[in-house]
Amino acid sequence: MAWKGVHISRPARLSCKDAQLVVDQDGDQVSLPIEDVAWIVLDSMQATLTASLISACMDAGIVIVFSDARHTPSGLALPFHRHHRQSAVAAVQLGLNLPLKKRLWQSIVATKIENQAACLEICGKSAEALRAMTKLVASGDPQNVEARAAREYWSLLFPEFIRSDEGDLRNKMLNYGYAVVRASVARALVASGLLPCIGLFHNSATNAFNLADDLVEPFRPIVDRLVFDLSEGGASSTNDLSLEYRQALAAVLNADTLVADEAVTTLIATEKASQSLVRAMESASPALLCLPRM
């Protein structure tokens, strides 16, 4: 089972030899079994990959995340047709009725708010208000409790914090971590036979990852807690997303969480959540959806 992540932050040449991922940096080589690798983050503009490695990554279901010159994740590569029932699962997904979509989204939003409350408690903050809000989430979240909870959440987690402030280092860290987890969710969806572009709530015609943007929501507080720890709960005097921070955020998929009372890594949680989503869709039962809980 794939469980390792690779973060490339310096000039490197990545190739494939004898079913091994070979990383060559300044004449030094490191090899990893491709079957052990789940994700690769290319965080250097001087990294090169051979076509044989890219092909091997797609065959193995490895997601490759690309970053731009500012070290911001800007794209990802995923394999096609990673499931033996691809057509059957896609047919179920495309045939979902609106009431079921709304109930699945209700479960996702409620779990996200529960995890936000847990994150606040772990960080030594009061979560009473958010705990109460989870009971207000109705099918499809017509009252947009998610947004109301978000306003309360950010004001408590980071006082005087503005989520849209691009100059705040915490936002840069959040966006980096979210991108890594989103890539893992997209990888897991493809491996489960689902179409990432067909969402439950998100439905942008220009977004190839609508479903990933749905399912990533309850995972976000896992990143939030990491950023809280990295920033020591406050604003920074610098807005530089240092290598140390990027390495820590690229490893967020190794963070522990719970799925159905089982302790697993965030990477495994994305796989379990995606697999359970297929079961929930096929059985028309939102109760079968297993989401991460902090």
Side-chain angles (χ1 to χ4, degrees), residues 53-182:
L53 174 63
I54 296 173
S55 177
C57 288
M58 297 302 98
D59 287 343
I62 298 171
V63 61
I64 305 174
V65 181
F66 301 92
S67 298
D68 61 22
R70 296 176 298 175
H71 305 291
T72 302
S74 57
L76 56 90
L78 283 172
F80 290 132
H81 312 305
R82 290 294 305 160
H83 195 273
H84 67 285
R85 295 179 57 238
Q86 175 82 52
S87 179
V89 173
V92 171
Q93 181 184 1
L94 293 169
L96 288 185
N97 59 54
L98 185 58
L100 179 56
K101 286 183 177 182
K102 288 183 175 181
R103 284 156 54 210
L104 289 167
W105 180 242
Q106 176 187 15
S107 179
I108 288 172
V109 171
T111 305
K112 175 186 180 180
I113 298 174
E114 289 174 359
N115 285 344
Q116 288 175 325
C119 179
L120 288 175
E121 291 171 345
I122 291 169
C123 296
K125 312 287 184 176
S126 172
E128 184 177 350
L130 256 69
R131 292 288 184 198
M133 286 186 185
T134 61
K135 303 174 183 178
L136 303 178
V137 182
S139 178
D141 191 23
Q143 302 301 319
N144 203 6
V145 179
E146 181 190 18
R148 290 158 51 193
R151 288 193 294 270
E152 178 76 11
Y153 173 66
W154 290 118
S155 68
L156 291 170
L157 186 63
F158 295 130
E160 300 181 7
F161 173 70
I162 300 175
R163 181 66 183 94
S164 59
D165 182 3
E166 296 182 358
D168 192 320
L169 176 60
R170 291 169 295 183
N171 277 317
K172 293 182 179 181
M173 289 194 286
L174 288 168
N175 292 338
Y176 197 102
Y178 291 159
V180 172
V181 177
R182 181 179 185 252

Side-chain angles (χ1 to χ4, degrees), residues 90-293:
V92 171
Q93 181 184 1
L94 293 169
L96 288 185
N97 59 54
L98 185 58
L100 179 56
K101 286 183 177 182
K102 288 183 175 181
R103 284 156 54 210
L104 289 167
W105 180 242
Q106 176 187 15
S107 179
I108 288 172
V109 171
T111 305
K112 175 186 180 180
I113 298 174
E114 289 174 359
N115 285 344
Q116 288 175 325
C119 179
L120 288 175
E121 291 171 345
I122 291 169
C123 296
K125 312 287 184 176
S126 172
E128 184 177 350
L130 256 69
R131 292 288 184 198
M133 286 186 185
T134 61
K135 303 174 183 178
L136 303 178
V137 182
S139 178
D141 191 23
Q143 302 301 319
N144 203 6
V145 179
E146 181 190 18
R148 290 158 51 193
R151 288 193 294 270
E152 178 76 11
Y153 173 66
W154 290 118
S155 68
L156 291 170
L157 186 63
F158 295 130
E160 300 181 7
F161 173 70
I162 300 175
R163 181 66 183 94
S164 59
D165 182 3
E166 296 182 358
D168 192 320
L169 176 60
R170 291 169 295 183
N171 277 317
K172 293 182 179 181
M173 289 194 286
L174 288 168
N175 292 338
Y176 197 102
Y178 291 159
V180 172
V181 177
R182 181 179 185 252
S184 180
V185 170
R187 166 186 174 271
L189 291 173
V190 170
S192 298
L194 292 162
L195 303 174
C197 60
I198 307 299
L200 301 169
F201 175 77
H202 293 86
N203 61 0
S204 171
T206 60
N207 185 3
F209 299 101
N210 284 310
L211 187 58
D213 289 336
D214 289 331
L215 200 59
V216 77
E217 293 297 345
F219 288 90
R220 291 183 185 273
I222 297 172
V223 177
D224 302 341
R225 182 199 173 179
L226 175 58
V227 171
F228 182 88
D229 291 342
L230 291 174
S231 65
E232 298 181 344
S236 172
S237 59
T238 176
N239 64 357
D240 179 31
L241 188 60
S242 68
L243 174 59
E244 179 183 4
Y245 287 145
R246 301 198 308 273
Q247 288 175 332
L249 293 162
V252 69
L253 296 178
N254 290 325
D256 292 331
T257 187
L258 293 172
V259 176
D261 295 326
E262 179 186 1
V264 297
T265 64
T266 300
L267 173 71
I268 299 301
T270 63
E271 297 171 355
K272 287 183 174 293
S274 297
Q275 292 162 5
S276 73
L277 179 58
V278 173
R279 294 194 295 271
M281 289 178 171
E282 291 179 331
S283 302
S285 174
L288 296 179
L289 182 59
C290 295
L291 298 171
R293 296 183 183 277

Side-chain angles (χ1 to χ4, degrees), residues 6-15 22-31 41-44 46-48 243 247:
V6 176
H7 181 254
I8 303 297
S9 60
R10 295 188 291 116
R13 182 179 187 274
L14 283 70
S15 60
V22 180
V23 181
D24 191 329
Q25 291 181 308
D26 299 325
D28 295 326
Q29 286 190 349
V30 175
S31 298
V41 178
L42 296 177
D43 201 359
S44 170
Q46 288 79 45
T48 60
L243 174 59
Q247 288 175 332

